[in-house]
């Protein structure tokens, strides 16, 4: 398995290289963001270990550029920044995992192996269903070029449905993932689905969000 380590602290980079090679990985190093992006673009890597605070181009921007190019190589971000918003920013930009320094080497290797098992499936930073788009990082929804204003709960519901577009999703699944409970009256889902339709479908003469009788709801991947 080929690993790219993008880390400007050369001693740490060398230590990671030695350790990962001892685990059987083939490891390449880059010490700044521009070199890291170039190698990630043109090398056939199975996973990238990416520091955030890099000279030239930050790890955030490297990750953002790769995902914009639909390069879905698994990315594990390393950073001395341990704030929850720092972690959220990295994950929202398309990183697959985030580990703060100092870290356990055993945990790093375990997480790398988990990412390798998962593989490089498509994980876009901006969700699309036809001309309907949702950007989790910027909290923006649009139909084409037209912004759509949603409440936080409506946004969470639409995000869940778009992540499972073209699948039938039951009310109980929605309650578990959007409301984080099974105790809420299931009819609240129907109410919020109605709210969403009046914002993402009706004004645009679309029918993306459909009721599947007796089963739940399906958001059409073509945007309706």
């Amino acid at each position: 398995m080929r690993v790219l380590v993008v880390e400007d602290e050369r001693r740490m980079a060398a230590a990671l290289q030695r350790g990962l090679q001892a685990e059987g990985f083939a490891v390449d190093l880059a010490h700044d963001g521009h070199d890291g992006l170039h190698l990630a673009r043109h090398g056939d890597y199975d996973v990238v270990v990416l520091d955030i605070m890099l000279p030239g181009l930050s790890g955030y921007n490297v990750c953002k550029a790769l995902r914009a190019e639909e390069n879905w190589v698994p990315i594990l971000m390393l950073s001395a920044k341990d704030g929850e918003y720092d972690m959220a920013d990295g994950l929202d930009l398309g990183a697959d995992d985030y580990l703060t320094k100092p870290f356990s080497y055993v945990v790093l290797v375990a997480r790398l192996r988990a990412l390798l098992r998962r593989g490089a499936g498509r994980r876009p930073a901006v969700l699309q269903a036809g001309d309907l788009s949702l950007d989790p990082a910027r909290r923006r929804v649009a139909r084409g070029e037209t912004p759509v204003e949603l409440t936080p709960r409506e946004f969470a519901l639409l995000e869940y449905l778009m992540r499972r577009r073209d699948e039938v999703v039951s009310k109980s699944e929605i309650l578990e993932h959007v409301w984080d409970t099974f105790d809420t009256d299931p009819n609240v889902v129907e109410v919020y689905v109605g709210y969403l339709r009046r914002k993402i479908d009706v004004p645009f003469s679309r029918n993306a969000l459909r009721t599947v009788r007796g089963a739940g709801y399906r958001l059409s991947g073509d945007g309706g």
Side-chain angles (χ1 to χ4, degrees), residues 177-191:
H177 289 89
V178 178
W179 274 264
D180 195 27
T181 180
F182 290 107
D183 297 332
T184 303
D185 184 346
N187 289 328
V188 74
V189 176
E190 186 174 340
V191 171

Side-chain angles (χ1 to χ4, degrees), residues 64-219:
K64 183 178 180 180
L66 290 172
R67 296 313 188 223
E69 297 165 6
E70 300 196 351
N71 183 329
W72 308 114
V73 61
I75 294 174
L76 186 152
M77 282 190 163
L78 291 179
S79 179
K81 302 171 72 173
D82 61 357
E84 60 184 13
Y85 290 106
D86 299 309
M87 185 179 299
D89 286 343
L91 297 174
D92 279 340
L93 286 171
D96 300 275
D97 203 350
Y98 190 107
L99 199 57
T100 57
K101 301 175 182 177
F103 53 85
S104 160
Y105 179 74
V106 172
V107 171
L108 171 66
V109 172
R111 291 193 177 188
L112 288 179
R113 294 199 187 283
L115 290 178
L116 290 167
R117 287 194 297 270
R118 192 183 310 165
R122 180 181 174 87
R123 296 177 300 279
V126 177
L127 305 178
Q128 296 281 159
D131 66 346
L132 179 63
S133 63
L134 182 147
D135 185 336
R138 293 175 175 80
R139 311 295 293 179
R140 292 177 184 167
V141 175
R143 267 285 190 189
E145 299 299 320
T146 305
V148 177
E149 297 296 327
L150 300 180
T151 67
R153 186 73 72 184
E154 292 165 354
F155 187 95
L157 174 57
L158 180 60
E159 180 178 0
Y160 182 64
L161 292 170
M162 289 187 73
R163 290 190 185 279
R164 297 191 56 184
R165 56 193 175 277
D166 288 326
E167 298 180 27
V168 176
V169 184
S170 69
K171 285 184 179 180
S172 62
E173 288 177 295
I174 292 172
L175 284 174
E176 179 184 4
H177 289 89
V178 178
W179 274 264
D180 195 27
T181 180
F182 290 107
D183 297 332
T184 303
D185 184 346
N187 289 328
V188 74
V189 176
E190 186 174 340
V191 171
Y192 272 85
V193 165
Y195 292 159
L196 264 187
R197 284 190 177 123
R198 288 194 286 273
K199 292 184 177 182
I200 67 170
D201 278 346
V202 175
F204 305 95
S205 301
R206 302 295 186 86
N207 186 26
L209 183 47
R210 303 179 183 183
T211 300
V212 180
R213 189 175 298 275
Y217 303 94
R218 181 175 59 230
L219 184 80

Side-chain angles (χ1 to χ4, degrees), residues 4-8 30-38 40 48-68 71 73-81 86-98 101:
L4 173 62
V5 175
V6 189
E7 168 62 68
D8 64 320
H31 299 296
D32 64 60
H34 291 294
D35 286 347
L37 179 57
H38 176 79
V48 175
V49 178
L50 179 64
D51 189 32
I52 290 178
M53 303 299 288
L54 295 168
L57 195 66
S58 74
Y60 289 138
N61 286 328
V62 172
C63 181
K64 183 178 180 180
L66 290 172
R67 296 313 188 223
N71 183 329
V73 61
I75 294 174
L76 186 152
M77 282 190 163
L78 291 179
S79 179
K81 302 171 72 173
D86 299 309
M87 185 179 299
D89 286 343
L91 297 174
D92 279 340
L93 286 171
D96 300 275
D97 203 350
Y98 190 107
K101 301 175 182 177

